[in-house]
Amino acid sequence: MTGHEKRTLKKKENIKNASIELFSLYGIKKVSMNEIAEKAQVSKVSIYKYFNSKDDLIRYVIKAVSSEILFDINNIIESENPFPEKVKMIIMNKNQGLKFLRGDFFTELLSLDEVLNNYYEQEFKEKANSLMIKFIELGKTSGFIDKKVKTTTILTHIHIFQKGVESNLGTLSGRDDISELIQLFFFGILSKQK
């Protein structure tokens, strides 16, 4: 990679990170390209050199964040950690982009941008679903997930759990609450029979 290519990647990374931070704090509509340029420590001209419009930048950021999240999850799945630890690592994933993709403004953005909505609904969800299936199958072969339960049923269970956690994040007081939720997710509310 040439020096020019490295500088280009660095600038795009700075622009992406500045965009995520500002969009997360103020919403996409309220952030200007000037503010992004200032935060990224690049000129506004540099931003327009790489992105044709603010919409183009937003699409780039969403796709980059989505790819990073999937990459992180795949690395966790393929790691040497025991299966229960992998579960905790995925749930506790601190990827900056996860908060970004869970924001209300992101949902609104998807409803306003057909190109982005199509990407999210088709490409991202398909890749995420494939990773979850890979993870479930790993859990089954390692004996942590009941082989008799259909993978589609498990995917529905995960989806319901995820939506419930997202809608109640404000009521969770920290790692202990999340650990209890993970315990309930896997083992239910019944104590072992004596």
Side-chain angles (χ1 to χ4, degrees):
M1 184 179 293
T2 67
H4 175 71
E5 291 169 331
K6 287 179 184 176
R7 286 189 300 278
T8 296
L9 281 176
K10 177 75 172 147
K11 281 185 183 180
K12 285 181 90 170
E13 184 71 13
N14 289 347
I15 293 166
K16 180 194 77 172
N17 291 336
S19 299
I20 290 170
E21 186 177 335
L22 293 171
F23 293 159
S24 296
L25 288 172
Y26 307 110
I28 289 173
K29 291 179 184 175
K30 293 182 182 175
V31 176
S32 71
M33 294 295 262
N34 286 331
E35 292 168 317
I36 294 169
E38 185 178 326
K39 183 76 176 173
Q41 299 180 336
V42 299
S43 69
K44 189 175 171 183
V45 173
S46 289
I47 293 178
Y48 283 110
K49 179 179 177 182
Y50 307 121
F51 308 101
N52 296 324
S53 64
K54 185 176 176 184
D55 287 341
D56 190 31
L57 170 61
I58 292 166
R59 289 178 187 133
Y60 170 80
V61 169
I62 298 291
K63 289 178 180 182
V65 166
S66 300
S67 293
E68 288 170 9
I69 291 167
L70 295 174
F71 181 79
D72 287 352
I73 291 171
N74 190 58
N75 282 344
I76 291 169
I77 292 170
E78 293 186 356
S79 73
E80 295 297 321
N81 293 306
F83 188 79
E85 185 61 28
K86 291 179 186 188
V87 171
K88 287 181 185 173
M89 290 170 73
I90 288 173
I91 291 172
M92 305 296 279
N93 193 327
K94 299 290 186 207
N95 185 303
Q96 177 186 12
L98 284 172
K99 291 178 189 166
F100 180 70
L101 291 183
R102 289 181 179 151
D104 291 337
F105 64 89
F106 178 68
T107 306
E108 181 184 349
L109 178 65
L110 289 180
S111 70
L112 299 174
D113 188 326
E114 189 177 336
V115 172
L116 202 50
N117 188 54
N118 287 340
Y119 161 78
Y120 184 74
E121 288 297 324
Q122 295 169 9
E123 196 173 326
F124 177 76
K125 281 189 172 181
E126 181 181 314
K127 288 177 182 176
N129 198 44
S130 293
L131 276 178
M132 288 311 301
I133 291 168
K134 178 179 177 179
F135 190 57
I136 291 165
E137 294 305 320
L138 176 65
K140 287 181 177 185
T141 58
S142 61
F144 285 97
I145 296 178
D146 188 344
K147 291 180 182 180
K148 293 179 276 183
V149 180
K150 291 185 285 189
T151 299
T152 54
T153 304
I154 295 169
L155 285 172
T156 301
H157 181 64
I158 291 168
H159 179 73
I160 291 167
F161 176 79
Q162 179 186 27
K163 289 293 181 190
V165 169
E166 286 175 9
S167 65
N168 291 288
L169 278 176
T171 63
L172 300 175
S173 62
R175 291 179 90 77
D176 289 341
D177 283 354
I178 293 173
S179 291
E180 283 183 0
L181 281 173
I182 293 168
Q183 183 76 16
L184 288 171
F185 177 80
F186 284 101
F187 305 108
I189 60 173
L190 299 177
S191 63
K192 291 182 181 179
Q193 297 290 325
K194 293 187 177 187

